[in-house]
Amino acid sequence: MDNRAGSRRCPKAALLILGPARMGPLRPSPGPGGQHLLLPPLLLALLLLLAPSPSHATRVVYKVPEEQPPNTLIGSLAADYGFPDVGHLYKLEVGAPYLRVDGKTGDIFTTETSIDREGLRECQNQLPGEPCILEFEVSITDLVQNGSPRLLEGQIEVQDINDNTPNFASPVITLAIPENTNIGSLFPIPLASDRDAGPNGVASYELQAGPEAQELFGLQVAEDQEEKQPQLIVMGNLDRERWDSYDLTIKVQDGGSPPRASSALLRVTVLDTNDNAPKFERPSYEAELSENSPIGHSVIQVKANDSDQGANAEIDYTFHQAPEVVRRLLRLDRNTGLITVQGPVDREDLSTLRFSVLAKDRGANPKSARAQVVVTVKDMNDNAPTIEIRGIGLVTHQDGMANISEDVAEETAVALVQVSDRDEGENAAVTCVVAGDVPFQLRQASETGSDSKKKYFLQTTTPLDYEKVKDYTIEIVAVDSGNPPLSSTNSLKVQVVDVNDNAPVFTQSITEVAFPENNKPGEVVAEVTASDADSGSNAELVYSLEPEPAAKGLFTISPETGEIRVKTSLDREQRDSYELKVVAADRGSPSLQGTATVLVNVLDCNDNDPKFMLSGYNFSVMENMPALSPVGMVTVIDGDKGENARVQLSVEQDNGDFVIQNGTGTILSSLSFDREQQSTYTFQLKAVDGGIPPRSAYVGVTINVLDENDNAPFITAPSNTSHRLLTPQTRLGETVSQVTAEDIDSGVNAELTYSIAGGNPYGLFQIGSHSGAITLEKEIERRHHGLHRLVVKLQPQSPSASKKHQVVQDLPPANTFVGTGDTTSTGSEQYSDYSYRTNPPKYPSKQLPHRRVTFSATSQAQELQDPSQHSYYDSGLEESETPSSKSSSGPRLGPLALPEDHYERTTPDGSIGEMEHPENDLRPLPDVAMTGTCTRECSEFGHSDTCWMPGQSSPSRRTKNSALKLSTFVPYQDRGGQEPAGAGSPSPPEDRNTKTAPVRLLPSYSAFSHSSHDSCKDSATLEEIPLTQTSDFPPAATPASAQTAKREIYL
């Protein structure tokens, strides 16, 4: 029995004492007939004191009488020896069919197969006094720790009960006794045999004789080598001639309780006299016989001598009460006493032959002698080791195969291997190994085995893996130490039982499929496949879906095949992809799972029309935009994808006015808009996608042209011939003239503001900013008498528009006088209507402002009759300044006061800087304020519009050192109403599409210097410059600025 580390082994002597102690004190032993036998209390106490601790290595020994009824308790391993009774499994490994073990308590019981001591093979051919031992083995497995089982070896001493009756070998026994036999002579009677042993064996013999023989014969029982030998005693003289035979009864009885007995007929035959009995040379013979000796091999020869002569000296040798096996194996020569082999002798079946040889003479009254012969069979290495493989613990074997789970721990026992050799000595010393490269090894299971019988656990050395190796064939080789050695093999097939230790694995962890939209419900989307390295139900897979929330209810999967189908029609425009999590679960316990991802990309079909973002588009653009300017942008979408969503835009009813850019949806104009000619455009846009077949959509577009201040106001009154004479009696606040003007623009661009820009140094007149009515604001004094030429400026009310177009109306010099009321005035013809044929008016239906109106103030009308005798006041002169008396022309008018700040040059038709032929502009410079000495030309020929000398400035004019500048009109810069850039400002960006027109820049006023008379007659060199802003302007102010530049038109 394999004990734990550090345990001690009890000596065999102790085992012999302790072994039998187990049965009696722990359990009553049923006796014959089922009664229980109790040991005496003193012996019970002694045995309990001598009982070893279960922690020591000891052999479990029980005693039990034979022939016990089924389910008789022999002993309890847990109660008797302290082995665990909870959480362990007891299993009977050796001892069937006589024994059974309770798996939980270790209680050992008898079975339906009765234990017959005389029928046990182990108890055959035992020497007298030897116990009958039935060996058993029990494995103990810890179910909690699931460790390797523990092997417990035990013995049951089968105690004999009196269940056999003693019998003679023959019912009739014959004895021959010579007639001259001396009284007291003994004649042996053949022994009776009893299969029981010990007290239950043959105990006594009894002789029963009739009346005729009672006085002649008696019985004596002698003890010979522990045998009771019955002998017939001759008690009287025999006379063959009187009585030649006697029939007696011999009875034999055993020592059982109750005793058993039988009898035989003892027939005594009276013979003639034979005086000497044979005598063996030795009382006993011993010999050795090698097993497997050949037939006829001499074993030993017995020899007896007889002192008689003749037939009485001739001796015959016979076996005397020899066992059947002796008679079968050996032959005794009747004449010579030579014992030879006549059958196969196998030491393993019978190691010792014990028998008697009877030597009997051939006399009329034969005499005999016995000799004991003991033949010891000598072992030969004629038996190969025997390998027995059987299950152990929870591991059972069937048809040479053991099933073991792959998840067992290392060093788990899968079998109990018992190796034995029927030989003895060195021939029985066996070595056992596991052949081949397998993860199994042998570990000794018990320390109590002998060299000829060893037990091993066949246990694992490494973890098992069903997926790598599903079964093993374990070959065990045993070799003895004989010469030559013999070996044998036995094999065990270990079938590894699969456990669910492998999760399913998909062939692809991520599967991406393209699936068209507008499908039919139930179509196959994809098929996934997974595998499981396990087997059986552990490899049976069930597929399921765990879709994302958006895909829930849309897809289904076959649990058996992994085929994924769509349950409804997909719409790519609602969702273009779905992510499905596929789960493959096996049917193991517990179930293991593997996952994969299926990405379903929905392919587009051309099932959506292009769609404009609005049902109709209205764009507002400024007029005068250059051609190919963007006027608006449309957005078109298509719910499809790829070519199905690639949209081409075009203008329907295309007349060439508009084009559209496909990339941006920008509508470009092919013309420059003029709101005054057309204010609204309508057309349709068509959107066509690239699908097959294509799909299209239409939308209406309306372009509204917004007004831009691109038309200068023009004055409708007064006309060039208007004049007014004011008398001193004119009332203050009286309207002396009405200025009216128009602007063909719209909105704020057509709302005009009137102001007096010059010719009113004394503030006599005021004009209504909105009405254009000129009223007298101060009383007319003597110093005011003269010609008043007012410069009226018009500009739109829009701050941005006012910077673009201003009209200054110079009232002509020969219109109105103040004084006598004479309406016949001599006006300068140079102020008549201009006629510039080279630049026809833009709007011929309108009368353009190229007139002058003059006011004159005087106290007496006769002052006008002789102009040369009087000096008239000109509103453009200072009070101390008078025209030169050398003027030779008619009435000389003083110079016009220069307007403040800056000037603009306009064409006679009122357009601004857009002369078709500027090189033909022969107009003289406008009148300038004259406050100093005239030039020589002026002195000789008189003052005129073409010859004025700038002198000191009038009260409302700039200082002398401020050079007057000529500015040009800055055309439309952009729709945002940008102010003209000032001096030093960077030029406008090129993309502003600034309109430019070449004009002829006339010489500045400084060209008419008083130091050069020729310069006044000759024309200055003309210079072509773009009609853009000059760098002499100061920076433009915002519309709210008080520094609004004045722009005047000179006619």
Side-chain angles (χ1 to χ4, degrees), residues 692-979:
I692 300 177
R695 304 175 78 99
S696 60
Y698 296 85
V699 72
V701 179
T702 299
I703 305 296
N704 298 309
V705 182
L706 301 180
D707 181 58
E708 186 183 64
N709 193 26
D710 59 345
N711 294 280
F714 55 91
I715 298 174
T716 59
S719 64
N720 283 338
T721 58
S722 64
H723 65 276
R724 179 76 183 271
L725 179 65
L726 302 179
T727 64
Q729 289 76 29
T730 304
R731 297 187 305 274
L732 296 179
E734 181 180 348
T735 300
V736 297
S737 183
Q738 177 68 44
V739 180
T740 59
E742 292 183 4
D743 195 320
I744 63 175
D745 292 321
S746 64
V748 295
N749 294 330
E751 297 177 1
L752 304 177
T753 302
Y754 300 87
S755 63
I756 298 176
N760 190 24
Y762 296 104
L764 290 179
F765 305 98
Q766 182 175 356
I767 189 169
S769 62
H770 298 291
S771 64
I774 300 176
T775 58
L776 181 66
E777 291 298 313
K778 293 181 180 181
E779 293 182 357
I780 299 175
E781 299 177 0
R782 176 66 185 84
R783 60 179 180 141
H784 300 151
H785 292 184
L787 180 64
H788 294 264
R789 292 178 293 180
L790 300 181
V791 180
V792 179
K793 180 172 69 173
L794 284 78
Q795 64 181 17
Q797 290 187 5
S798 170
S800 60
S802 65
K803 301 251 195 278
K804 297 174 66 176
H805 297 290
Q806 295 179 356
V807 174
V808 178
Q809 175 65 35
D810 268 344
L811 301 180
N815 286 355
T816 303
F817 293 88
V818 179
T820 62
D822 182 11
T823 60
T824 59
S825 63
T826 58
S828 174
E829 295 300 328
Q830 65 197 26
Y831 296 102
S832 62
D833 290 346
Y834 292 98
S835 180
Y836 284 78
R837 304 299 179 188
T838 59
N839 196 8
K842 180 177 181 183
Y843 302 101
S845 62
K846 303 292 184 178
Q847 185 178 1
L848 300 180
H850 50 277
R851 298 161 299 284
R852 285 182 177 172
V853 178
T854 304
F855 294 94
S856 178
T858 181
S859 60
Q860 297 180 4
Q862 62 266 24
E863 293 177 359
L864 298 174
Q865 298 176 0
D866 189 3
S868 62
Q869 301 299 321
H870 300 280
S871 175
Y872 297 101
Y873 169 75
D874 189 323
S875 63
L877 303 176
E878 300 287 350
E879 280 190 78
S880 60
E881 297 171 348
T882 59
S884 171
S885 59
K886 297 181 180 181
S887 175
S888 60
S889 60
R892 295 290 135 205
L893 303 177
L896 280 172
L898 272 174
E900 306 298 332
D901 302 331
H902 310 298
Y903 301 84
E904 285 186 350
R905 183 173 183 82
T906 64
T907 60
D909 62 357
S911 62
I912 304 172
E914 295 180 353
M915 297 177 60
E916 184 177 355
H917 300 286
E919 67 276 4
N920 298 328
D921 184 9
L922 302 179
R923 293 179 297 163
L925 288 171
D927 295 334
V928 297
M930 179 180 174
T931 57
T933 306
C934 292
T935 62
R936 179 178 179 183
E937 177 188 8
C938 295
S939 300
E940 293 292 335
F941 302 103
H943 299 298
S944 68
D945 287 339
T946 61
C947 183
W948 288 104
M949 175 63 188
Q952 294 181 354
S953 61
S954 63
S956 61
R957 205 173 294 127
R958 64 178 72 246
T959 59
K960 182 176 181 180
N961 59 355
S962 299
L964 299 174
K965 304 297 183 180
L966 175 63
S967 66
T968 60
F969 171 66
V970 179
Y972 168 74
Q973 296 289 337
D974 57 34
R975 292 195 302 269
Q978 272 186 317
E979 303 295 342

Side-chain angles (χ1 to χ4, degrees), residues 94-218:
V94 174
Y98 304 106
L99 305 175
R100 71 174 180 86
V101 174
D102 186 285
K104 294 182 179 179
T105 63
D107 293 348
I108 304 175
F109 297 91
T110 60
T111 66
E112 297 294 335
T113 303
S114 177
I115 303 177
D116 184 3
R117 177 182 177 278
E118 292 75 26
L120 292 178
R121 181 177 179 274
E122 292 84 351
C123 299
Q124 299 294 324
N125 302 314
Q126 283 186 317
L127 296 177
E130 289 184 352
C132 177
I133 301 299
L134 175 63
E135 294 186 347
F136 69 90
E137 295 176 6
V138 175
S139 64
I140 306 175
T141 302
D142 189 340
L143 298 179
V144 177
Q145 299 182 357
N146 197 20
S148 293
R150 177 181 178 183
L151 186 65
L152 180 66
E153 295 177 332
Q155 292 180 346
I156 295 178
E157 181 180 342
V158 181
Q159 296 178 332
D160 184 51
I161 63 174
N162 195 23
D163 58 342
N164 291 280
T165 301
N167 290 298
F168 290 97
S170 175
V172 178
I173 302 172
T174 301
L175 288 179
I177 300 176
E179 61 180 342
N180 57 351
T181 299
N182 297 325
I183 296 175
S185 297
L186 299 176
F187 292 89
I189 299 173
L191 297 176
S193 63
D194 194 330
R195 297 184 64 188
D196 295 326
N200 295 324
V202 176
S204 63
Y205 291 91
E206 180 182 354
L207 184 65
Q208 297 176 351
E212 69 280 4
Q214 286 183 351
E215 300 297 328
L216 297 177
F217 300 102

Side-chain angles (χ1 to χ4, degrees), residues 532-574:
D532 196 312
D534 296 321
S535 65
S537 61
N538 296 331
E540 295 178 6
L541 303 183
V542 177
Y543 298 93
S544 61
L545 282 180
E546 292 183 3
E548 58 182 339
K552 193 171 184 179
L554 297 181
F555 299 89
T556 182
I557 189 170
S558 171
E560 293 79 19
T561 64
E563 189 178 66
I564 301 175
R565 294 179 180 268
V566 62
K567 298 171 63 177
T568 184
S569 181
L570 300 182
D571 187 354
R572 191 204 62 81
E573 288 70 41
Q574 292 184 1

Side-chain angles (χ1 to χ4, degrees), residues 615-670:
S615 59
Y617 288 88
N618 283 276
F619 299 110
S620 297
V621 298
M622 299 299 295
E623 62 175 332
N624 297 323
M625 290 176 60
L628 298 181
S629 295
V631 298
M633 180 182 293
V634 298
T635 303
V636 61
I637 61 174
D638 194 314
D640 296 321
K641 188 178 181 182
E643 288 296 325
N644 296 330
R646 197 180 303 278
V647 179
Q648 294 290 329
L649 297 172
S650 61
V651 178
E652 287 290 289
Q653 304 168 352
D654 187 10
N655 57 5
D657 290 346
F658 297 93
V659 295
I660 187 165
Q661 293 179 340
N662 273 301
T664 64
T666 303
I667 303 173
L668 306 177
S669 65
S670 300

Side-chain angles (χ1 to χ4, degrees), residues 984-1007:
S985 301
S987 60
E990 295 179 358
D991 60 356
R992 295 296 186 184
N993 297 324
T994 305
K995 295 179 182 179
T996 61
V999 298
R1000 194 179 304 276
L1001 179 62
L1002 300 181
S1004 65
Y1005 299 125
S1006 62

Side-chain angles (χ1 to χ4, degrees), residues 404-420:
I404 183 168
S405 177
E406 65 174 323
D407 61 347
V408 298
E410 293 184 33
E411 298 185 355
T412 297
V414 301
L416 181 66
V417 178
Q418 178 175 300
V419 181
S420 60

